[in-house]
Amino acid sequence: MCARQKTVLIGVTGCIAAYKSCEIVRAFQKRGVRAKVVMTEHATEFVGPTTFRALTREPVAVGLFDEPGSPIHHISLAQEADLMLIAPCTANVIAKLAQGICDDLLTTTALATKAPLVIAPAMNVNMYEHAATQRNMQILRERGCHFIEPDEGFLACGDTGKGRLADIGEIVDACLEILEVEQDMAGLNVLVTAGPTQEPIDTVRCITNHSSGKMGYAIAEAAAARGAQVHLISGPVSIPEPQGVQVHRVTTAQQMLEASQELVDGCDIVVCTAAVCDFRPAAPASRKLKKGDGTSELEHIELVQNPDILATLASCEGRRAIVGFAAETDDVVEYAKGKLASKRADLIVANDVSEGKVFGSERNEVWLVTAEGEEHVPEMDKVHLADVVLDKTLSLYDLKMA
Ligand code: C5P
C-alpha cells in the first residue's frame, strides 16, 4: 500500500443490507481507496467474513481477540483508518455508539478512532423513526458524526417508508468528500507498464534487471486514487498489487508489448516505467543448457533486439499523452531529450542510475524533460514523486487535447 492511499474502515452490522457492503468495498477500491472491513457477530449471519477477506485481500476481524498477532487489534484498526464508515448501521449499533458502549470489535474501534465517523443507517421504518433512534442520532451528530440518511421505499421486512440503505454512490461520494480525495483524473484511462522483463535463455535461466517496479506501482496507485481507470502491465516483481488497479502480469518484453497493444486503444495516458530488457536470446532452449568446456551454448548466446514498447504505443492511432522514463548514468538530461524525440513521447522522466542509485530504492531525484525544456525535481519518495509526474502529465494531456 502506498503512503498516499487513504484507508476506509468499513463497519458492517447485522442487517439484511449487509450484502451491499460488498459493493461499497468495490466502489472504494475503484476510486483508489483501500478498504478494510470489521464486522459485528450479527453481520456474519448475513455475509461471511470470507467474502470480505476475498474482496479486500485484508484480514477481516469480528471478535475483539480474533487477531492473535495483534492483542490490541481495535487500536491498530482505529489508527490505520483515515475514515470509519458503518454501513449498514443498525439501530442497536447507533444506540451503543451514542452511549459509548464498546462490547465488540466494531464499537470498540469506533470509540478508539480519531478518524471521521460516517454512519449509513438501514433498518425498519418504525425503528428508524423511533424517538430513541432519532435521539441517539442527534447525540452522535452533535459529536461530529456524519449521517447519510436512508432512502424511502419498500423495506425487506415488508413495510414501506424510510429505512433503506442510501444509494452506494451517495455513500462513497460523501466519504470521498470528507477524505478530500482529489479526483482530477476521473474519467481518464491510464495504462502503466512497470517492473523488469525476463527473457528466457533456457528453461531455468533468464536475462533480466534489478527494477523493483516501485515507481510504476506508485504511479498506477496514485492515478487510481485520483479517479482514473488504471491498467497496470507488470513484469515479475515482488511488491503488493495496488488496490483499485487492474493488474496484468507478463514476463517477457514481447508479452508486455502485446498486452499494451491490446489496451492502448481508448487510453488517454500511457506511462512506461518498465525496465524492458533491450535484448532477448534469439532461440531460448527448451531444456536446461549445460555448462561445458568452452563449446557450451551458454557461452555464446545469440541476442536479438526487443521491440520498443513506448515507441510502438506512441505511434498508435489516437491522441493521448505518452510518458517514458530514462535511466542514465551520465548526461542524463541530454540523453532524455534524445529519447523524447526518437520515441515521440510528450514527457521523459529522467533519472541518474549511476553508482547503483534508484533501482529498488524508495526515493528518486528526476528531471522532467519535455519539448519546452526540463524541470528538476529534488529527491523525494516515489509515492510523492508519482503525483508530481502525474501533475505534469495532466497538464501536457490538457494542452494536447485543447
Ligand atoms: O531506450 P530506453 O530503454 O532508455 O528507454 C526507456 C523508456 O522506454 C522507458 O520509459 C521504458 O519503459 C521504455 N521502453 C520500452 N520498451 C523498450 C525499451 C524501453 O517501452 N523495449
Side-chain angles (χ1 to χ4, degrees):
M1 203 239 339
C2 90
R4 184 190 189 282
Q5 192 181 37
K6 305 274 186 175
T7 298
V8 169
L9 180 63
I10 302 170
V12 184
T13 71
C15 156
I16 187 73
Y19 74 94
K20 294 188 182 170
S21 309
C22 301
E23 290 174 44
I24 295 178
V25 166
R26 275 275 185 251
F28 276 118
Q29 289 174 333
K30 277 195 193 139
R31 311 285 282 269
V33 173
R34 175 185 178 223
K36 285 199 73 160
V37 170
V38 56
M39 310 175 73
T40 62
E41 197 69 53
H42 284 159
T44 64
E45 298 288 331
F46 296 91
V47 190
T50 316
T51 304
F52 290 113
R53 224 169 276 139
L55 288 174
T56 61
R57 289 190 234 140
E58 305 265 4
V60 174
V62 178
L64 265 166
F65 307 102
D66 270 3
E67 197 71 3
S70 172
I72 45 170
H73 194 201
H74 56 288
I75 302 296
S76 56
L77 281 174
Q79 287 171 347
E80 244 183 315
D82 294 297
L83 181 144
M84 184 167 181
L85 164 71
I86 308 181
C89 192
T90 56
N92 176 46
V93 171
I94 291 175
K96 287 206 264 182
L97 294 176
Q99 299 309 315
I101 294 171
C102 38
D103 59 353
D104 60 12
L105 183 62
L106 187 148
T107 49
T108 311
T109 307
L111 203 66
T113 191
K114 291 257 183 224
L117 185 60
V118 181
I119 293 178
M123 63 196 74
N124 166 272
V125 56
N126 298 334
M127 292 171 80
Y128 183 70
E129 286 175 353
H130 196 285
T133 305
Q134 290 301 317
R135 177 77 191 116
N136 288 332
M137 285 172 50
Q138 190 52 31
I139 291 171
L140 289 167
R141 268 195 202 99
E142 283 161 14
R143 278 189 215 139
C145 181
H146 307 263
F147 276 89
I148 300 165
E149 296 281 313
D151 287 340
E152 276 189 44
F154 182 73
L155 305 174
C157 54
D159 282 349
T160 304
K162 204 166 178 180
R164 288 165 63 91
L165 184 71
D167 176 69
I168 289 166
E170 192 193 330
I171 295 172
V172 172
D173 283 347
C175 292
L176 292 180
E177 207 179 311
I178 296 165
L179 281 169
E180 293 177 358
V181 175
E182 202 176 3
Q183 296 285 289
D184 60 352
M185 294 184 79
L188 294 180
N189 288 305
V190 177
L191 190 154
V192 181
T193 69
T197 62
Q198 285 180 354
E199 311 299 333
I201 296 170
D202 61 17
T203 49
V204 295
R205 302 179 182 89
C206 66
I207 297 174
T208 188
N209 58 62
H210 295 302
S211 168
S212 65
K214 284 179 188 166
M215 191 67 242
Y217 275 52
I219 288 189
E221 192 161 283
R226 290 165 71 154
Q229 292 291 324
V230 183
H231 288 280
L232 172 62
I233 304 174
S234 174
V237 296
S238 52
I239 53 176
E241 286 186 4
Q243 279 198 6
V245 166
Q246 259 182 279
V247 182
H248 309 258
R249 297 227 168 240
V250 295
T251 306
T252 65
Q254 191 57 40
Q255 290 166 355
M256 189 173 272
L257 174 72
E258 283 161 19
S260 306
Q261 281 175 315
E262 265 176 41
L263 291 164
V264 71
D265 199 26
C267 265
D268 304 293
I269 292 172
V270 172
V271 186
C272 293
T273 70
V276 183
C277 288
D278 292 316
F279 293 91
R280 68 175 184 276
S286 53
R287 63 189 168 83
K288 185 185 171 194
L289 297 173
K290 299 285 177 208
K291 55 186 173 196
D293 55 3
T295 55
S296 163
E297 294 142 286
L298 273 172
E299 287 181 28
H300 306 283
I301 300 165
E302 196 195 330
L303 299 176
V304 288
Q305 199 163 347
N306 266 330
D308 192 306
I309 298 167
L310 169 57
T312 310
L313 298 181
S315 66
C316 285
E317 228 176 79
R319 282 206 297 171
R320 58 186 65 89
I322 305 278
V323 181
F325 275 64
E328 303 292 347
T329 52
D330 47 81
D331 291 332
V332 175
V333 171
E334 279 319 301
Y335 277 118
K337 282 181 184 165
K339 273 176 199 168
L340 189 76
S342 67
K343 294 182 187 244
R344 298 207 290 151
D346 299 292
L347 167 65
I348 294 283
V349 183
N351 52 46
D352 180 356
V353 291
S354 60
E355 294 152 29
K357 279 189 252 171
V358 184
F359 278 140
S361 145
E362 300 295 336
R363 300 176 70 79
N364 203 354
E365 171 197 7
V366 302
W367 287 262
L368 303 179
V369 181
T370 65
E372 268 61 58
E374 71 263 8
E375 278 167 47
H376 178 239
V377 182
E379 189 185 300
M380 62 178 72
D381 64 69
K382 289 180 177 174
V383 169
H384 289 100
L385 182 59
D387 274 319
V388 174
V389 171
L390 289 178
D391 288 344
K392 186 74 190 171
T393 306
L394 262 189
S395 68
L396 292 168
Y397 173 80
D398 288 342
L399 275 179
K400 213 168 171 175
M401 298 299 136

